[in-house]
Amino acid sequence: MKWDRVNLNRRDLLKIAGVGAVSAALPGCSDNTASVAKKPVGITGIDGRRVLPWSNWSGNQSCQPNQRLVPRNESQLIEAVKNSQQPIRCVGSSHSFSNIVATDNTLMSLARFRGVKNIDKATRQVDIAAGTRLADIGEPLWEAGLGLINMPDIDTQSLAGAIATSTHGTGKTLGSMSSTVQQITMINGQGDKVICSAEQNSDVFNAARNNIGMLGVATEFRLQAKQRYHLKERSWMLPLGEGLAQIEQQRDQHRHFEAYALPHADYILFISLDEVDQETFAKAPAVENNGDAYETFRTLAKVIDYAPFMRSFIMNRGAATVDPEERYGRSHDIFGNLRDIRFNEMEYSIPAEHGVECLSEILATIKKHDVDVIFPLEYRYVKADDVWLSPFYQRDSCSISCHNFHDRDYKKYFALLEPIFKKYQGRPHWGKIHTLEQSQLSALYPRWDDFMKVRQQMDPQNKFVSNNLKELFSIG
Ligand SMILES: Cc1cc2nc3c(=O)[nH]c(=O)nc-3n(C[C@H](O)[C@H](O)[C@H](O)COP(=O)(O)OP(=O)(O)OC[C@H]3O[C@@H](n4cnc5c(N)ncnc54)[C@H](O)[C@@H]3O)c2cc1C
């Protein structure tokens, strides 16, 4: 390999860190089921129809349900819940890495509950159907002069899936998507329609804004939006020591700030997003398309496989070639990135004030144990909220994610880092890999028992509890 061809750019790094979206991943229709598709596919289900197996985006979770339901409207949904003699699990766009969807019983998708329903321009609140992909929210809101307050770094999730796990972006003053929810409509375990907000059924509201699909089926959300806005994204690589010293200052200066720390390298990539006015946007240069990073990183990984002793050298060489970049766009165009590398991920949120210390410890541990990984660690900030099972409950947080290629062993790597997160009172992302058990989880959430009480009221017959969740939540 010629060194002048190891020409990483900043987008390559983002892509490997996962900042980019892949296939639509309709349940059972995503390309990650290709390996499953070669085998005899599916079973005859309880209603006599062929039922396809399910697998998540990265392929680390799979199951064979005995029924799939995709209700067309609310009355079909209510009927299905009332008549079901077996547990039901909802699926969004299958982008969770943790075992929170899989079931041997009914897998229900709200893919037919889509679209932005009502827009109140005065309050800037919008009603959106639960199965709507985040990618389908930006345009209609923009036309109405509005934009979402913040978004995660991809937009292929369903709204219900994103809310169920407190999906978040980054920004010191900005909460997760769940924190922008004003009202939720759900069908509970008895098939009753429940509407909750801060004023109406407030306990259900506090539980349902991070529900892990355990309170019922969410059909609609009212979100707080804001006046539409353009963003300027800036990214720049800097030496690790300098970067670690500057992180908190950068966090305080920008509406959104995140960092990508490169394992085995002496560099860190910073990204900031800030609002710009229409005039600045109009003068901005067009965004270039940097193409596919997949081959670059797979090639790097393969070279490192043959010469692991050169890992640091190769990573530093690559990082040193990254030039600063800027791009401008409408908020939803800038937030929603393309991910063309499949990976597995663990993420913990820790108190914001320990972020830099924790990241430094992680990088040192990776070096010390010579961990075979080149995926950057993603480092973000999220504002505290009041959602009972939110990782950000009453705590301004820093979330740190680690990844590895989907076809490489991630377990040893994640197991090495997990004790560090635990030491800082880390709370795991509900949609990402972790090994915590009920006793450890409940100790991290002051309102755990309140959540369980609401769950029991909403679903007394445990219709929405899979065996995995029974164990994780000690439901018995
Ligand atoms: C490439 C990639 C990038 C990601 N980036 C981010 C990021 O930037 N920030 C972040 O915080 N997370 C991120 N995630 C994690 C992801 O946002 C969450 O796991 C999210 O929950 C996935 O949404 P989904 O629609 O795929 O839901 P699924 O994974 O299908 O389901 C998640 C949960 O929602 C429940 N659910 C789904 N629909 C309903 C419904 N109608 N009613 C009740 N419950 C329901 C399910 O039962 C399950 O418990 C990323 C994941 C991937 C694969």
Side-chain angles (χ1 to χ4, degrees), residues 79-95:
E79 203 187 332
V81 171
K82 279 192 172 156
N83 293 340
S84 183
Q85 301 299 314
Q86 61 173 16
I88 299 171
R89 286 302 294 160
C90 279
V91 63
S93 67
S94 308
H95 272 55

Side-chain angles (χ1 to χ4, degrees), residues 211-421:
N211 58 67
I212 319 162
M214 292 174 70
L215 302 188
V217 185
T219 58
E220 194 169 292
F221 295 90
R222 178 166 299 163
L223 300 187
Q224 183 65 53
K226 73 188 273 319
Q227 192 177 5
R228 73 184 194 185
Y229 57 107
H230 289 97
L231 286 171
K232 169 185 174 181
E233 182 187 78
R234 192 173 152 247
S235 62
W236 67 108
M237 186 71 82
L238 63 174
L240 181 61
E242 213 178 292
L244 291 174
Q246 279 185 29
I247 279 185
E248 291 184 346
Q249 182 198 339
Q250 294 293 334
R251 170 199 66 189
D252 296 346
Q253 269 175 16
H254 299 286
R255 184 173 195 265
H256 311 259
F257 168 77
E258 66 182 316
Y260 288 88
L262 299 172
H264 304 289
D266 305 316
Y267 290 91
I268 188 165
L269 182 80
F270 279 7
I271 300 173
S272 64
L273 300 180
D274 289 291
E275 279 188 52
V276 289
D277 58 27
Q278 174 66 36
E279 205 183 323
T280 314
F281 171 71
K283 286 191 210 142
V287 180
E288 61 173 292
N289 181 354
N290 283 299
D292 189 348
Y294 186 78
E295 286 311 322
T296 313
F297 270 90
R298 289 309 288 219
T299 308
L300 274 185
K302 279 182 196 151
V303 173
I304 290 168
D305 280 347
Y306 281 105
F309 59 93
M310 295 198 43
R311 193 183 288 113
S312 284
F313 176 76
I314 292 169
M315 292 302 286
N316 278 326
R317 240 354 241 256
T321 65
V322 176
D323 290 327
E325 283 182 28
E326 278 183 5
R327 63 179 182 134
Y328 296 76
R330 299 179 301 175
S331 58
H332 55 282
D333 293 333
I334 294 288
F335 287 131
N337 290 281
L338 177 72
R339 281 195 179 164
D340 54 11
I341 294 179
R342 203 165 300 153
F343 53 82
N344 282 305
E345 179 174 350
M346 175 171 77
E347 177 186 297
Y348 271 83
S349 290
I350 62 167
E353 62 273 20
H354 297 311
V356 175
E357 195 185 343
C358 181
L359 179 64
S360 309
E361 197 169 332
I362 286 171
L363 289 170
T365 304
I366 291 171
K367 252 193 186 163
K368 183 174 160 203
H369 292 266
D370 198 23
V371 181
D372 178 20
V373 64
I374 61 169
F375 257 94
L377 294 134
E378 190 173 11
Y379 181 97
R380 296 183 276 189
Y381 286 102
V382 187
K383 192 181 163 204
D385 62 37
D386 60 353
V387 180
W388 287 349
L389 286 200
S390 155
F392 321 109
Y393 181 74
Q394 293 192 338
R395 201 162 87 175
D396 285 334
S397 302
C398 165
S399 49
I400 303 179
S401 315
C402 49
H403 318 72
N404 209 351
F405 292 114
H406 74 104
D407 54 358
R408 296 215 167 185
D409 179 27
Y410 60 81
K411 290 187 180 156
K412 267 202 243 152
Y413 172 40
F414 292 180
L416 185 69
L417 302 193
E418 215 171 8
I420 304 177
F421 288 124

Side-chain angles (χ1 to χ4, degrees), residues 57 89-97 100-101 110 130 152-154 157-158 160-162 164-165 167-168 211-213 216-218 339 343 380 429 431-432:
W57 176 85
R89 286 302 294 160
C90 279
V91 63
S93 67
S94 308
H95 272 55
S96 295
F97 303 92
I100 57 173
V101 168
L110 261 65
D153 57 20
I154 62 156
Q157 301 96 324
S158 70
T165 64
T167 287
H168 62 91
N211 58 67
I212 319 162
V217 185
R339 281 195 179 164
F343 53 82
R380 296 183 276 189
H429 190 303
K432 301 187 185 177

Side-chain angles (χ1 to χ4, degrees), residues 9-16 233 290 325 327 337:
N9 61 38
R10 158 259 182 207
R11 192 142 302 278
D12 292 340
L13 286 163
L14 298 191
K15 281 182 175 173
I16 193 173
E233 182 187 78
N290 283 299
E325 283 182 28
R327 63 179 182 134
N337 290 281

Side-chain angles (χ1 to χ4, degrees), residues 174-192:
L174 304 168
S176 75
M177 291 205 68
S178 298
S179 74
T180 67
V181 175
Q182 303 298 312
Q183 181 177 293
I184 306 179
T185 307
M186 301 190 91
I187 306 303
N188 71 13
Q190 282 125 321
D192 299 327

